[in-house]
Each structure stands twice: as structure tokens, then as C-alpha cells.
Amino acid sequence: MFSKRVWLVVSMLLILALLLSACAKTGPAAGEKFTFGMLLIGPANDMGWSQAHYDGGLYVQEKLPGTEMIYLENVFQGPGGQVQTGAELATDMATNKGAKLVIFNSDDMKDNAIKFAQEHPDIYVIHASGDTAWKEGKNYIDLPNLKNIMGEMEYGKMIAGCAAALTTQTGKIGFLGPLINEETRRFAASAYLGAKYCWTEYLGKDPADLEFKVTWIGFWFNIPGTTLDPTQVADDFYNTGYDVVISSIDTTEALTEAKKFTADGKQVWAIPYDYAKACEGADDVCLGVEYFNWGPAYLAAIKSIQDGTWKSSFDLNGPDWSDINNPDTSAVGFNKGGALSEENSALIDKFIGELGSGLNLWTGPINLQDGTQYLADGVAATKQEIWYLPQLLEGMEGQSE
Amino acid sequence: MTVQEKSPQTTSLRSRINWLDLGLRVGAVIMALLITSLILLVANAQPLKAYWNIVLGAFSSTQKVSAVIASWVPLVLTTSGLLFTFTAGLWNIGMEGQVVVGSVFCVGAFRFLDQTGLDPWIVITIAFLAGALGGFLWAILPGVMRIYGGVNEIFGGLGLNFVAKALAIWLIFGPWKRPGVASMSGTEWIDPQFRLTYLPGTSLSPVIVVIALIGAIFVALMLKGTHFGLRLKAIGKNDRAAHLLGIPTTRYFLLAFGICGIFAGVAGSILVTSKQFSLIPDAGFGYGFLGLLVAMLVNYHPILSSIVAFFFAALSVGNVELQYMGLNSYLAGVLQGFLVLFVVMTNGVRQRLYKKG
């Protein structure tokens, strides 16, 4: 009697499954609609990295009628993450939602992006922040349907570092880092180069008096029980005399903590990251935010798919120096925050102007953290030397790997 | 449904209980759906639409059905393993950690044998055996701690879950880290030749389905049809009495843990070779914990547990569709949690009714 009931349930489930798969729609809907999928490593409203991508998708929808974005958030494996991997979710987007392009928005999705691109040669793939499509890079794989896009955030980090150096009263800058890899090392190093330049050139101070400490939490954002808690790390910085924290993680804990400390009567500052409007609501502590503007690059890529000119490429897009905050042309920008003094604001403008007219801080002499020479005097770094920076730089405190 | 309340004398007690049983379970499911619907309404979403989307999300294409089966496989394995410990009256809360350590051993075997040039199938087999061994060892620990150290296996297992995760994180950030990288996102992927082949157009490898079926059938046969199963059941009902009747309870406790751990280790190896291809901190994907829920939900019934595991797998895959609607991905978890809660509660109600009846 019992097993009969079991079989009844099983057979009903099977029939249901068959029925549903029979009436399933496959492929994209009729019309000229272009669906593109986006896999976000964090939430679409994180005021950081993922929201910047999400807004880039909205920009495409607005500028190119007929395009539609579908997206999934928290694409990682762990508490609060997804049960399915990035490759599985992208497959779902392509097979069941008719997506012709899938954007993988994190360095951590590299393996999944490559796997998906290999298994679906007919679907276009953009991997933001990877180097797979870089012919001159170390990890090149020939995949005609895969493109890498990244903003030249080295400049943004230099500006952030400059703002921090100009503002700090203690001469101690904290760098709240995510995980350690080539990308995060070169960004931390760029922030340091910017800080050192403004500290010495604009303030005329001794570089030996500038402390720059990096603490890594282990991932792009807080995963309780797995990473260090960024709130705690920011607190530790502020409690030990670091009065400016440059955040390089996807979320805005540093800003929240800076507000708390400042409300308690201890003036400190923070610089968030990634998202153009990250300073909103934190005018009293925010020095500014260096951010990505993904919209124009995504728009161009989708247009190239539509008109048949798509090519696999490694696109490293810099700021538009005529106006680094132009939403249609600049891939990297810096929005000043309310806590940046007028005097320092003018110096930041001066610094941006110098960078735009060719100042290259990635010029020797530059030594690595262990003291070995990386760039000889007067030698400018190649793109590869910057991208694949093997260690932090001399003068920086913190783990290199 | 018409249930004759005042049953004539001829109706056997057994069939009355079955109807009651079924009614209570259906009631529990309805309650869980109602509460979840309330939450959905508060979140400004239409419950029926959400549920229908879950169904579509799980079954509306071959790819989706295959994804459900792919996540059913590890779940049915953890659930099946847990039936051994539950039957023996043991709470193997450490299941999740056992899956993690299974994955650790499996990845370790691949790292060790990577360059040996052995036939990939031999390497994969060894890696699965290593995974099984890892799960076995990690499961024996709470058993030993209980028998010889007097530590309740719930606390032992809970602690070992944390240790397993810490072990994985240590390996990922330490000895097994990618060159120049320190990220919790995992170790380097295993070589493509060691990855199980998918059916075309899916993320499902047929081999793992066979493994899951063998596992489920093995458990059903062992528990229903062997002396071993009967003795385990006797221990579960009353281990002192069983001991007095001559059953070597210590050995059976350890066996139950060990077999359960082997299932966990195989589940971990499947996750490594067909899904994640590397070691990540949460290498268990929650399948150990979910297995506990499924086993409790079906009152430790082997065949039913495979079916409910399928339902849970469908929930977790179909859940993606809710995210396209802009709803939070935790919703399936909420529904699963309430389901278990209400079923456990109705179990209590049922027992009181039994006493009266």
C-alpha cells in the first residue's frame, strides 16, 4: 500500500517534469530583442563594484532600445551565495532566457567564464577584469567569443591615494584590501604611488614619514566566518592612528565606520571605491570615490555584436582626461566627497591635470617590498609590469601574497 | 477527502494511523506554504506566481531538469548516509564537515597524482576512494569522541564542521594556494581530463546518477532487509537493551558513522569532479545540512527520502527564477526551513494522538 503511494507520487512528478519541459520555450523570443545576462559577484545595490556593473547594464538598456538585461546576484559559493556555479548560471541564461551575451563581473569567475565560453562558442562572453583575451598577457587563451574589459583604475587609485595623503593628520594611511592577487596588488601599489607623490611634491614632506598599511580581508566583501570582518579592520585602523582609510573592497564598511568615529568626536576619513555615488550620505567623512563607468564599454561591445564587428579583445579603458567624469566617454572617474577641503580639492584637480598631461608614477626607481629593484631609474613600467605586479612596493606595509 | 472519524470496530488501527499521518504531513506542507506566502506578501510579491516560477525554474527545460538531477545526486547521497546514523539513534550533525573533508581528500589525490601520467579514470577512481576515506575518517571522529570521550556527537560534529572549514580555508590560503594569490575563492581547478563529462547541453554527468542510485538502493536494502539494519534499528530504539541482548553497540555506532562518512566523502568527490573542480571553503555546498532536513522530513524512510531530496533539489534550482523576478535567493531556504519545522512539530502532535488512540 505504501509503495503504491510512493510510485504514484514519483510518476506524477515525472509526468509534470515531462509536460513542463515539453511546453518550454527554447531560444530567444520573437522580435529584435537582444538579451544580455550579467552575473554579479555581490548584490546589485552594494554601493560598490556590483552596482557599478548593474548601472552599466541600465545604461545600455537606455541607450540601445531593444536590449534587455537579466542579472543574478551573489554569484559565488558560500554562505549567502549560489548553489549553482557561474558556468551553470550562465548556461541557464543562455539556454533558457535567450541571452546572447553573458557578462561575468568578477576576477573570481575567471575559470567559470572560460569554461562557459569554451562550451558555448555561439554565446558571447565578457569577463570584466580578466586577462584571458590578452595576447601579450601571461594567460592568453584563444577564444573568439570572449572579451576582457577593465577600467584603468591605477589612475583612480592614484587620485585616491593623493587625496588620502593630502588629508591625513597623522601621516598614516590604511588600505582596506580584498583578497591578494595581481589586480589588488597593483591597485594598492598605485594608491601608494599617488599618496607618496602628493605627500612629497605638494606637501613637501619626507616620504619616510608616510605610513601606508595594507590589510586584506580575504575576499571582495565580508563573508562572516570566512573572511576578516571589514568593519573590524576599519575600526582597528582608526583606533591605531590611521585617520584615512582607502577602501578597495566591494562594499562601504570603511565609510560607515568613519562616520561612527567622527560622530563620536574623532575626525577620521574614508575613501570608498567602485561606485560613482558611493559618497552619498557620508559628506562629513568621504574624501571622494574613484569609480568605474562600465556603461560605454558594454554598449560598444553589444553594438559590435549586433553589427557583426565583434572581436575578441583585451580592453583596458582609461579615463577621458578632458573630463574624467564624463558618463559617455570616461571608463574611470573620481567624484570628490564633501569632506575634501577646498584647498585639497584644488590640489586634486592639479594632480588630475598632471596625470592627464603625461605624468607617469609607474616610473623608476621603484623597488619591490622585499627591496629588489623592479624599475630602474627613469624606466617606465610596461603594461605587463603593472598588471602582473608580483609584490607590494617598498615603503608599503602588509602582506604581498 | 472524507475520513470516517468514527471508524467502525473493524477498521484496523493501522490504517487509521496512516490517514492521520498523511493528513498531518499534508497539513505541515500547507502551513509552511502559508507562512512563506505571508512573507512573500509582505515583500510585495505574488505567492502563487513565485511558486509557479520555482516550478518553471526547475522543470521548464531539459537543461533545468538536468540541473535538478545534478543537485539531487549529492543530496540523496548525504541523506542516504544519514539514514544509517539516524537509524542508530545518532545525530550526525558533522555531515557537512564530512563532505568538506571528502572534497579535501579528493582534491588532494588529484594534486598528488596530477603529473603521474596514469589513466584519468584510474586517477578519478583513486580520488573518489580518497574522498570516501576522508569522509570516513572525519565521521569516525565524533563517534570515537562519543564512545570514548563522552562527548555528545552533536557537539562533536558541530565542532568538527568548523574545523573542516578551517582546514579547507587553511589549505586554500596556505599550501594549496594559487601562485601569488590569497583568496577564499578556491584552489586551482583540476585538470580537464579529470572532470566528469556532461551530457550534451547540460551540467549533468551520467556517472554520478548511477552512483547516487547505487547508494540509495544500498541504503534501502541494508536498512530494510539485513540483520545489520535490524540491529541498528534495535540500537536506535534502545541501545542499552540492544547491548544487553548481545549486540556489540560500540562497533555498530562506529560502523554507522563510518558508512555515513563514506557517503559524505563520495558526495564531496562528486562536487569536486563535476561541479566546482577545486577546493572552496564551503566545499559542502550545504548538502550535509540539507540532508539532515530531508531525513527528518521523511522520518528516516529510505525511498521517501530520495523523493523529497528531489523536491528539495528542485527548490534550490528553481529558486534561481525568483532571483530573475528580483526576489531574494534565500526564499527557497525559508520554505525548506518552515517545512521541516512544521513536520517536526506535527510529529510531536502525532505522537500525542497515538498515545490517546
Side-chain angles (χ1 to χ4, degrees):
Chain A
M1 142 129 212
F2 182 77
S3 64
K4 258 188 192 167
R5 220 163 48 214
V6 171
W7 281 116
L8 189 70
V9 175
V10 174
S11 46
M12 276 173 63
L13 275 173
L14 275 177
I15 290 168
L16 184 71
L18 287 174
L19 271 178
L20 284 164
S21 48
C23 58
K25 278 177 253 153
T26 44
E32 281 303 295
K33 200 174 78 170
F34 184 97
T35 304
F36 63 101
M38 202 182 275
L39 298 177
L40 303 169
I41 189 137
N45 61 353
D46 65 356
M47 296 284 279
W49 174 262
S50 289
Q51 191 162 5
H53 285 267
Y54 176 75
D55 281 11
L58 294 181
Y59 176 89
V60 173
Q61 284 190 146
E62 187 198 312
K63 296 279 172 180
L64 201 58
T67 53
E68 194 200 3
M69 166 172 61
I70 52 171
Y71 67 97
L72 290 172
E73 305 168 280
N74 300 316
V75 179
F76 66 95
Q77 270 73 54
Q82 298 279 354
V83 181
Q84 298 186 74
T85 63
E88 289 173 313
L89 294 171
T91 305
D92 178 48
M93 286 176 155
T95 352
N96 303 310
K97 299 279 167 190
K100 294 193 184 89
L101 159 76
V102 178
I103 299 171
F104 290 72
N105 101 322
S106 177
D107 180 63
D108 277 279
M109 300 175 186
K110 188 178 198 167
D111 294 314
N112 276 294
I114 295 170
K115 178 168 185 283
F116 175 77
Q118 285 167 337
E119 288 170 356
H120 298 82
D122 51 329
I123 306 292
Y124 297 95
V125 175
I126 294 177
H127 178 217
S129 79
D131 62 346
T132 311
W134 194 11
K135 277 204 176 117
E136 295 77 27
K138 285 185 188 173
N139 305 303
Y140 176 68
I141 300 176
D142 182 16
L143 282 169
N145 57 332
L146 186 141
K147 188 194 275 291
N148 291 124
I149 295 179
M150 184 62 178
E152 237 177 319
M153 187 42 79
E154 289 79 5
Y155 291 113
K157 289 293 174 193
M158 286 172 190
I159 301 169
C162 176
L166 294 174
T167 307
T168 177
Q169 305 295 305
T170 57
K172 292 167 92 171
I173 299 170
F175 188 93
L176 177 58
L179 46 92
I180 310 177
N181 66 12
E182 286 146 350
E183 171 189 324
T184 60
R185 270 195 297 266
R186 71 173 182 268
F187 286 168
S190 299
Y192 174 67
L193 290 175
K196 198 169 99 179
Y197 181 81
C198 294
W199 180 260
T200 49
E201 300 298 317
Y202 294 171
L203 301 180
K205 292 182 180 173
D206 181 357
D209 292 338
L210 180 68
E211 285 184 44
F212 192 100
K213 181 179 170 182
V214 184
T215 303
W216 310 100
I217 64 165
F219 199 58
W220 303 103
F221 43 80
N222 184 29
I223 303 176
T226 303
T227 62
L228 293 185
D229 180 0
T231 299
Q232 189 59 46
V233 174
D235 279 359
D236 288 347
F237 273 134
Y238 292 134
N239 278 325
T240 52
Y242 292 83
D243 61 348
V244 183
V245 171
I246 302 174
S247 171
S248 211
I249 63 174
D250 287 5
T251 47
T252 54
E253 284 87 351
L255 216 50
T256 315
E257 289 318 288
K259 276 175 78 94
K260 225 181 273 174
F261 273 81
T262 304
D264 289 347
K266 182 176 178 180
Q267 175 72 59
V268 294
W269 297 271
I271 300 177
Y273 178 35
D274 292 322
Y275 180 60
K277 296 175 204 156
C279 277
E280 263 176 21
D283 271 342
D284 49 339
V285 294
C286 193
L287 296 179
V289 56
E290 71 284 15
Y291 66 90
F292 290 97
N293 179 26
W294 299 97
Y298 287 162
L299 181 67
I302 289 174
K303 278 184 174 163
S304 80
I305 293 172
Q306 287 183 327
D307 62 23
T309 57
W310 163 283
K311 264 204 312 215
S312 169
S313 59
F314 169 80
D315 300 345
L316 195 52
N317 303 318
D320 175 357
W321 291 114
S322 66
D323 174 9
I324 65 168
N325 291 320
N326 185 327
D328 299 316
T329 56
S330 192
V332 170
F334 186 84
N335 275 338
K336 291 174 193 163
L340 188 70
S341 72
E342 241 174 76
E343 182 190 353
N344 289 340
S345 172
L347 287 173
I348 288 290
D349 286 337
K350 184 178 166 199
F351 182 57
I352 293 170
E354 284 183 51
L355 287 174
S357 43
L359 169 69
N360 185 359
L361 298 184
W362 279 100
T363 307
I366 288 179
N367 287 350
L368 295 178
Q369 195 180 37
D370 65 6
T372 52
Q373 187 184 64
Y374 196 55
L375 298 169
D377 201 0
V379 175
T382 62
K383 270 192 172 179
Q384 285 80 359
E385 278 168 332
I386 298 175
W387 186 276
Y388 298 112
L389 184 70
Q391 287 178 30
L392 296 179
L393 304 182
E394 195 173 54
M396 300 172 74
E397 197 187 326
Q399 269 180 285
S400 265
E401 56 177 66
Chain B
M1 202 186 299
T2 53
V3 184
Q4 288 182 320
E5 275 303 315
K6 286 181 182 170
S7 51
Q9 298 277 325
T10 47
T11 311
S12 74
L13 183 71
R14 190 182 156 79
S15 78
R16 213 174 73 214
I17 288 171
N18 269 336
W19 277 114
L20 182 71
D21 199 28
L22 190 70
L24 279 171
R25 273 167 205 277
V26 171
V29 173
I30 292 173
M31 282 295 283
L33 284 171
L34 277 178
I35 300 259
T36 315
S37 303
L38 265 178
I39 295 173
L40 280 167
L41 284 173
V42 171
N44 251 335
Q46 293 173 334
L48 285 179
K49 196 179 162 204
Y51 295 138
W52 181 240
N53 269 306
I54 294 184
V55 175
L56 285 181
F59 299 112
S60 62
S61 74
T62 330
Q63 188 267 336
K64 286 193 182 269
V65 175
S66 70
V68 172
I69 298 173
S71 73
W72 171 76
V73 166
L75 183 56
V76 86
L77 285 173
T78 54
T79 311
S80 299
L82 284 162
L83 293 179
F84 281 99
T85 41
F86 273 126
T87 303
L90 297 166
W91 282 80
N92 188 11
I93 301 289
M95 192 64 173
E96 186 73 19
Q98 289 147 30
V99 182
V100 173
V101 174
S103 307
V104 167
F105 274 57
C106 180
V107 171
F110 281 124
R111 294 180 70 90
F112 192 68
L113 299 171
D114 194 22
Q115 304 296 334
T116 51
L118 285 170
D119 183 75
W121 276 108
I122 296 175
V123 177
I124 293 171
T125 308
I126 296 173
F128 265 74
L129 290 175
L133 176 70
F136 175 83
L137 292 175
W138 209 251
I140 287 292
L141 274 178
V144 170
M145 281 158 70
R146 168 171 162 151
I147 293 161
Y148 301 105
V151 180
N152 186 310
E153 79 274 9
I154 294 181
F155 299 116
L158 209 56
L160 286 169
N161 280 345
F162 283 105
V163 179
K165 186 171 174 177
L167 171 72
I169 291 179
W170 174 69
L171 287 168
I172 291 164
F173 278 94
W176 291 359
K177 77 175 173 194
R178 295 177 180 223
V181 175
S183 162
M184 66 73 83
S185 51
T187 58
E188 207 130 13
W189 279 22
I190 56 172
D191 198 84
Q193 59 174 333
F194 301 137
R195 302 177 199 164
L196 299 181
T197 327
Y198 292 157
L199 291 171
T202 72
S203 308
L204 175 66
S205 139
V207 185
I208 66 172
V209 181
V210 175
I211 296 175
L213 288 175
I214 292 174
I217 292 168
F218 172 77
V219 175
L221 291 181
M222 281 294 272
L223 292 182
K224 289 266 167 185
T226 63
H227 272 287
F228 175 80
L230 273 179
R231 288 180 175 173
L232 216 54
K233 209 175 271 178
I235 295 172
K237 296 269 186 232
N238 187 337
D239 61 328
R240 277 186 194 191
H243 180 69
L244 290 176
L245 286 171
I247 300 175
T249 46
T250 306
R251 198 196 310 162
Y252 272 73
F253 272 151
L254 286 179
L255 263 177
F257 270 117
I259 296 174
C260 185
I262 289 174
F263 274 82
V266 172
S269 308
I270 282 176
L271 291 169
V272 167
T273 48
S274 75
K275 187 180 177 78
Q276 192 61 37
F277 312 114
S278 65
L279 180 65
I280 56 170
D282 287 280
F285 282 83
Y287 284 119
F289 291 128
L290 212 51
L292 286 164
L293 294 192
V294 174
M296 278 192 277
L297 200 60
V298 298
N299 209 14
Y300 324 131
H301 189 285
I303 299 171
L304 263 185
S305 72
S306 303
I307 297 166
V308 172
F310 186 80
F311 172 71
F312 270 42
L315 257 184
S316 67
V317 171
N319 184 28
V320 170
E321 207 64 28
L322 293 182
Q323 299 177 49
Y324 287 123
M325 286 171 72
L327 284 172
N328 198 299
S329 60
Y330 298 129
L331 197 78
V334 171
L335 184 57
Q336 285 166 349
F338 276 124
L339 266 178
V340 174
L341 204 62
F342 282 115
V343 167
V344 173
M345 269 164 66
T346 49
N347 278 350
V349 173
R350 192 182 46 179
Q351 271 166 14
R352 295 185 78 162
L353 288 177
Y354 276 1
K355 276 180 195 157
K356 281 182 193 165

